[in-house]
């Protein structure tokens, strides 16, 4: 079940004027994936003068030659050469800059992994009906639906540095989730530079002395 993100069509429809400044390749190289930028919106039916909110796919310093790659808020990957005058370039919000047209989202697309006890059809229909009632029948739609039986076992999920397996008692290992169904693990993503370690669930025994 998802909330539909309608395709944006026409000449810069559903946009907002923002003040931004165009970056050079050197300035772009100093950015990280957490920095919000604006890049040309590479979407069908949209004016080439429109921009989309985006983030670099990796730290700017990691791009050695060639173009910078950014992923827009609409899931599109855009290759940009900031210093190429024939391209739209990469922009960052700046009150001292100039006005640009930035596309706004028509909605929010959510990929949800929903656990329904018993997994019966009536529960799913009730959940769907409640969402449609809350947001509107024309807004909430079934984009895709996958029914996966949840096994009656549980696992513990840990994260550890991606380079080399660390000892289970090493301080570099972080607990991500305990007492979790293995089906849910595949919907999660590890932190950057870390990997998941899945182990059989172990009950936590509190050995704190009591009086």
């Amino acid at each position: 079940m998802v909330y539909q993100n309608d395709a944006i069509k026409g000449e810069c429809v559903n946009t907002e004027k923002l003040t931004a400044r165009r970056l050079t390749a050197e300035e772009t190289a100093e950015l990280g994936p957490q920095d919000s930028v604006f890049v040309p919106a590479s979407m069908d039916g949209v004016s080439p003068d429109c921009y989309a909110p985006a983030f670099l796919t990796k730290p700017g310093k990691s791009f050695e030659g060639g173009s910078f790659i950014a992923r827009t808020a609409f899931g599109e990957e855009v290759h940009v050469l900031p210093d190429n005058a024939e391209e739209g370039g990469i922009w960052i919000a700046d009150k001292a800059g100039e006005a640009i047209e930035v596309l706004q989202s028509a909605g929010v697309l959510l990929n949800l992994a929903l656990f329904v006890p018993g997994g019966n059809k009536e529960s799913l229909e009730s959940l769907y009906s409640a969402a449609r009632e809350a947001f509107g029948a024309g807004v909430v739609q079934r984009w895709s639906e996958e029914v996966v039986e949840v096994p009656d076992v549980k696992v513990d999920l840990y994260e550890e540095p991606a380079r080399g397996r660390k000892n289970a008692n090493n301080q570099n290992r972080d607990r991500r989730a305990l007492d979790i169904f293995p089906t849910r693990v595949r919907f999660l993503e590890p932190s950057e530079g870390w990997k998941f370690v899945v182990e059989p669930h172990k009950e936590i025994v509190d050995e704190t002395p009591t009086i």
Side-chain angles (χ1 to χ4, degrees), residues 6-13 41-48 76 103:
D6 296 327
I8 299 175
K9 300 178 181 179
E11 294 288 316
C12 273
V13 295
S42 61
M43 301 175 67
D44 293 337
V46 173
S47 167
E76 300 286 334
L103 291 171

Side-chain angles (χ1 to χ4, degrees), residues 142-159:
R142 278 191 173 103
W143 191 275
S144 63
E145 186 174 314
E146 180 184 11
V147 178
V148 179
E149 184 177 351
V150 178
D152 190 22
V153 295
K154 296 179 181 179
V155 297
D156 295 338
L157 184 64
Y158 297 88
E159 284 185 323

Side-chain angles (χ1 to χ4, degrees), residues 18-97:
L18 296 179
T19 306
R21 174 176 59 86
R22 181 167 179 159
L23 300 177
T24 64
E26 288 74 18
E27 290 175 316
T28 304
E30 297 177 358
L31 300 179
Q34 76 282 355
D35 295 308
S36 178
V37 296
F38 304 108
V39 297
S42 61
M43 301 175 67
D44 293 337
V46 173
S47 167
D49 294 328
C50 289
Y51 292 83
F55 299 88
L56 296 180
T57 57
K58 60 183 179 180
K61 62 183 179 181
S62 299
F63 290 97
E64 299 177 358
S67 59
F68 290 88
I69 305 175
R71 181 174 291 107
T72 72
F74 306 102
E76 300 286 334
E77 283 200 354
V78 181
H79 296 245
V80 188
L81 293 170
D83 292 334
N84 187 339
E86 297 181 359
E87 292 189 357
I90 296 178
W91 298 67
I92 191 169
D94 189 338
K95 293 182 179 179

Side-chain angles (χ1 to χ4, degrees), residues 1-6 107-114 128 131-132 135-145:
M1 180 178 67
V2 303
Y3 306 117
Q4 186 178 12
N5 187 348
D6 296 327
V108 178
L109 178 64
L110 299 179
N111 293 315
L112 301 178
L114 301 176
Y128 181 52
R132 288 171 66 90
F135 296 97
V139 176
V140 179
Q141 301 182 18
R142 278 191 173 103
W143 191 275
S144 63
E145 186 174 314

Side-chain angles (χ1 to χ4, degrees), residues 7 14 37 54 64-65 76 101 104 106 120 136 140 147 163 180 185 197:
N14 195 27
V37 296
E64 299 177 358
E76 300 286 334
E101 290 277 355
Q104 298 301 300
N120 59 72
V140 179
V147 178
R163 293 184 177 181
I180 186 174
V185 174
V197 177

